[in-house]
Amino acid sequence: MYMRKTPPFSDLLNGIVRGAKRSLSSLFIAVVVLVGTGCNKDDFNPDLLEETTWSPEVAFPLVYTEMGISDLTGVNDSNTTIITDPDQFCTLIYAGRAFELSAAQLAPLPDQYFNKSYGLSNSQLNTLGVAGQVTITKSQLVDFSVSQGMEIDSITFKDGTFDFGISSDFPVNATVLLTIASLQKDGVPLTATLPLNYSGGIPVTASSIVNLTGYRCDFTNGGITHNQLKVDYTITFSGTASGASTSNRITLNPAFKGLKFQSLFGYAGQQSIANIKDSIEISIFNNSIGSGTFTIAEPKIRFDISNSLGLPISARVNQLLALNGNLTNFVVATGVPDPLPVGSPNISQIGQTVNSTFTLDHNNSNINALIGQQPKYLITQTQATTNPAGHAINFLLDSSKIAVDVHVELPFYGTANNFKVKDTVPFSYNDLADVQDLLLRMELENGFPLESSVQLIFTDENLNPLDTMFTADEVVIPSGIVAPGDERVSLPGRKVHDQHFDQQRIQKILSAKNIVVVASATSMNEGNTNVRIYADYKMKIKIGAIAKMKIQ
């Protein structure tokens, strides 16, 4: 879309003065040359130059601007787009995510710590004393700690470590072989062998760390339970039994840390995730100052639900409300399905996403009242429950998630009646001392089916008014003409306006720090007729100036 931006008004005036000064310099040089060649010394009176006031007038073309619908609606963020159909009809789309729940949030894997201590019986000490070596085998059934009633059958790990630490107060050498048969990578069980070399001091310690990426663990203990795994130890003591007793202990400290799953099978529990709030900003109403009306005849709010979590989910929107630009009033939406139509992939659809959608429009909801509120924000509050019917076989991938996206569709078909917007821009200019008089000429062409008016208010740093650009309703740009039986503007509205600044008004501008811009728009038939806005509609503005300079 073509657009040339209008410079700030301070730049506009600055350009006038700079241009005027350049023109005056040329004029002054020409006068000096003329005087020097057309008069003799006896005829020249220097007092004539000292007492004469020069007031040349210099005209400048200043601005040519074309503004389209994207400029008028303030589309300036990644969540807002204007789409056009083949006929160039415009629809404003606001998109936001009302709800998202990932597999990692649903099934967090906390660090797991478990330890076990073993000693030697008298008979085993005797064997050590006679043979110089004794081996014992032990098994530990570990409960894998999870929350929310989860029952894990298997996990393939994406990340994490298995940390194995040993401490022994036996005054002999030892070797510990750890094996977890149900934790395998490429069909090979996880094993760790740690030697303990006694050198006269106790405790004797050793440790190792195994990266679990790519390992798969079966937590069913042979298909009979959940959340459990069996750890086998083979411990061999060697050396003399002198100084060893049944009170000595070797302590094993295995741990799972930093766990992340690539896939998880089992039961994720019946979890309730409530009061998830989010908001969508409706920027077209950001600058509304609350007066007038603005209606969209056929607004829509579409909910797109995507789910790749392998478990049943019941979700509902507890609240959907529109909060107006003054943040004082709100309207609660009706017509939202309860529960939401959420689909889930089955075991044959692992890695796939199931999509569903529903739309609120003027036929099934109060959306016209919602958008008629001129909301600055749409606020959603969503709740979800997993496995609402109870126990089921679930699966989760690291990429799995459920998301609810909201699309607010505002087709540019509706009415406006004295709909006002306001904006404040900084202004600073103090180089107007040489300008005695200033005339601005504006040529305005309105290709929209909206009658528009504008006002510029110069203010101090506290936004106290110093001067207004126009008198009340002085600059009204006629609406473009829509022929009977047609929906498009066939002839643009036009307006030429001159605005005069005398020395007194220029002095007011010198102390201004801001310009408050107030604009209003009214559609055809005093805002009672719906009109359509197309992408090729333009507001064209030409501004020129005549600056009257004073040099003594």
Side-chain angles (χ1 to χ4, degrees):
M1 182 178 297
Y2 170 78
M3 184 190 73
R4 295 175 59 187
K5 285 290 186 181
T6 304
F9 192 67
S10 59
D11 293 350
L12 182 151
L13 294 177
N14 198 11
I16 294 172
V17 175
R18 288 198 303 268
K21 287 182 176 179
R22 287 195 298 269
S23 298
L24 286 172
S25 297
S26 300
L27 178 63
F28 183 73
I29 292 171
V31 170
V32 172
V33 172
L34 181 63
V35 170
T37 56
C39 303
N40 60 43
K41 183 175 181 180
D42 292 337
D43 295 332
F44 179 68
N45 184 352
D47 292 338
L48 293 176
L49 289 180
E50 293 176 0
E51 297 177 358
T52 300
T53 298
W54 295 84
S55 301
E57 293 183 350
V58 183
F60 298 93
L62 294 174
V63 176
Y64 176 73
T65 297
E66 287 187 0
M67 293 180 293
I69 187 62
S70 62
D71 309 301
L72 299 179
T73 55
V75 176
N76 56 8
D77 62 86
S78 60
N79 294 326
T80 308
T81 56
I82 292 179
I83 61 174
T84 58
D85 65 14
D87 293 330
Q88 298 293 299
F89 177 67
C90 298
T91 298
L92 192 60
I93 304 290
Y94 295 94
R97 180 150 289 182
F99 175 82
E100 180 175 313
L101 179 66
S102 69
Q105 292 172 305
L106 183 64
L109 299 178
D111 292 348
Q112 310 287 322
Y113 299 91
F114 47 97
N115 57 70
K116 197 71 173 179
S117 294
Y118 299 104
L120 293 176
S121 64
N122 286 322
S123 63
Q124 290 168 336
L125 287 171
N126 289 334
T127 301
L128 177 62
V130 172
Q133 181 174 295
V134 66
T135 297
I136 61 174
T137 58
K138 300 291 183 179
S139 294
Q140 181 182 9
L141 192 61
V142 175
D143 290 321
F144 202 80
S145 177
V146 289
S147 59
Q148 305 292 338
M150 289 179 57
E151 298 176 357
I152 301 176
D153 292 339
S154 68
I155 293 177
T156 298
F157 291 104
K158 179 181 180 180
D159 200 1
T161 60
F162 178 76
D163 297 11
F164 185 31
I166 304 175
S167 177
S168 172
D169 62 3
F170 278 94
V172 295
N173 296 332
T175 299
V176 178
L177 169 63
L178 175 147
T179 302
I180 305 178
S182 62
L183 181 57
Q184 299 183 3
K185 184 176 183 178
D186 299 326
V188 179
L190 182 144
T191 61
T193 302
L194 291 180
L196 294 170
N197 298 316
Y198 175 68
S199 59
I202 55 175
V204 183
T205 62
S207 63
S208 70
I209 298 176
V210 178
N211 190 311
L212 292 177
T213 302
Y215 274 88
R216 179 185 180 277
C217 188
D218 185 335
F219 289 91
T220 66
N221 191 24
I224 62 175
T225 187
H226 312 280
N227 303 338
Q228 287 189 338
L229 70 160
K230 182 182 178 185
V231 183
D232 295 317
Y233 305 104
T234 300
I235 307 170
T236 300
F237 297 92
S238 59
T240 175
S242 176
S245 69
T246 56
S247 63
N248 292 127
R249 287 289 182 271
I250 183 169
T251 301
L252 312 177
N253 299 292
F256 290 91
K257 296 182 179 180
L259 298 178
K260 295 180 181 180
F261 61 81
Q262 179 178 324
S263 63
L264 183 152
F265 291 82
Y267 173 59
Q270 195 173 72
Q271 303 185 40
S272 180
I273 301 97
N275 297 323
I276 299 177
K277 292 184 178 181
D278 210 335
S279 63
I280 299 173
E281 185 174 2
I282 311 297
S283 61
I284 191 174
F285 300 119
N286 277 1
N287 294 330
S288 171
I289 58 177
S291 62
T293 61
F294 181 95
T295 67
I296 299 291
E298 298 175 354
K300 295 179 182 179
I301 300 179
R302 190 182 81 244
F303 289 76
D304 292 335
I305 305 166
S306 58
N307 181 29
S308 53
L309 298 170
L311 72 166
I313 294 179
S314 174
R316 61 192 304 263
V317 175
N318 291 337
Q319 191 175 75
L320 172 63
L321 61 87
L323 190 62
N324 75 347
N326 295 325
L327 306 182
T328 54
N329 298 313
F330 63 88
V331 173
V332 179
T334 61
V336 180
D338 187 11
L340 301 179
V342 181
S344 302
N346 57 41
I347 197 69
S348 65
Q349 297 173 303
I350 294 177
Q352 299 181 31
T353 299
V354 176
N355 297 301
S356 55
T357 187
F358 70 91
T359 299
L360 300 181
D361 58 31
H362 66 279
N363 294 315
N364 62 10
S365 71
N366 65 336
I367 186 172
N368 285 62
L370 201 75
I371 300 302
Q373 177 74 10
Q374 301 175 17
K376 183 175 182 180
Y377 297 103
L378 286 182
I379 300 174
T380 60
Q381 181 173 314
T382 314
Q383 175 182 345
T385 301
T386 63
N387 296 300
H391 199 282
I393 297 176
N394 304 156
F395 65 85
L396 303 172
L397 303 182
D398 60 318
S399 59
S400 299
K401 65 182 178 182
I402 180 174
V404 179
D405 292 312
V406 181
H407 299 263
V408 181
E409 301 180 13
L410 302 180
F412 283 120
Y413 175 58
T415 67
N417 190 348
N418 197 31
F419 178 70
K420 283 184 166 58
V421 294
K422 180 176 68 174
D423 197 10
T424 301
V425 295
F427 174 84
S428 179
Y429 197 85
N430 54 15
D431 192 17
L432 296 174
D434 295 330
V435 179
Q436 177 179 339
D437 193 84
L438 185 65
L439 178 69
L440 296 184
R441 167 160 292 182
M442 290 177 286
E443 296 183 15
L444 310 169
E445 181 178 297
N446 182 10
F448 290 87
L450 302 169
E451 182 181 86
S452 301
S453 64
V454 65
Q455 179 61 277
L456 305 180
I457 305 169
F458 295 89
T459 75
D460 61 17
E461 62 273 12
N462 297 318
L463 299 180
N464 296 312
L466 300 174
D467 192 15
T468 56
M469 184 75 171
F470 314 115
T471 59
D473 301 321
E474 184 176 11
V475 177
V476 176
I477 314 169
S479 166
I481 297 174
V482 179
D486 199 358
E487 293 183 332
R488 271 184 166 272
V489 170
S490 58
L491 186 67
R494 289 184 171 88
K495 174 78 172 184
V496 176
H497 179 81
D498 290 341
Q499 181 64 211
H500 178 260
F501 278 76
D502 58 17
Q503 189 63 37
Q504 183 179 4
R505 294 187 70 187
I506 291 174
Q507 290 301 316
K508 291 181 180 180
I509 295 174
L510 286 176
S511 60
K513 298 299 181 183
N514 300 283
I515 297 179
V516 177
V517 182
V518 180
S520 67
T522 299
S523 57
M524 298 171 54
N525 192 24
E526 298 182 349
N528 294 311
T529 300
N530 289 328
V531 296
R532 293 183 181 272
I533 304 298
Y534 294 87
D536 51 4
Y537 286 174
K538 303 291 182 184
M539 176 79 74
K540 298 179 181 180
I541 302 174
K542 297 179 183 178
I543 301 179
I546 297 177
K548 188 175 182 180
M549 313 298 294
K550 179 178 68 175
I551 298 179
Q552 293 183 346

